[in-house]
Structure formats: C-alpha cells, structure tokens
Amino acid sequence: MKIGLFFFSLVLLGAGCGVAFNLIGSTVDADGFLHEPFFLVPIGYLLGISGLGGLAVLAVWHGGRHLARRWAGAR
C-alpha cells in the first residue's frame, strides 16, 4: 500500500508542476526575450506519466493476485 501512495504522490507532484507553471506565468522583457519556467512542463509530464504508469502496474498486479486466489479457492 505504501508503494501506491508513492505513485499517487508522483501524480500529485506532476499536477503541481502544471499548476506552478500557470501561476508563475511568462513575461517578455524590454529586449523581447520570453522568460517562462518551461522546465516545469517536461518534469510535470515525467512525474505524472511515471505515477500513472506505476499505479496501472500495481492495479494489474493486485488484480491478477486477486483472481489467482479466487481461482485457487474455487477448485
């Protein structure tokens, strides 16, 4: 169960990166250079996809174990 909490926290951190990107915003200075926290976008996607992938693997793993126990008890 603790590993599920870890993957869920990765998803929350990924969403937090998206929120932070929108809150910080972008600015254009006097020379016309765009300043934005673009590094948050790939980090947010990486964290979110890693967390969702981990949760999917856990769901398949626990679902398979549940079915195996159920089939073993039916025989």
Side-chain angles (χ1 to χ4, degrees), residues 27-73:
T27 59
V28 179
D29 64 6
D31 295 328
F33 286 104
L34 177 65
H35 297 280
E36 63 181 1
F38 185 72
F39 66 93
L40 290 172
V41 174
I43 290 173
Y45 277 121
L46 181 67
L47 289 171
I49 290 172
S50 299
L52 289 175
L55 287 173
V57 168
L58 281 178
V60 169
W61 178 264
H62 287 295
R65 287 178 55 195
H66 176 70
L67 286 176
R69 285 186 203 150
R70 193 170 187 188
W71 287 340

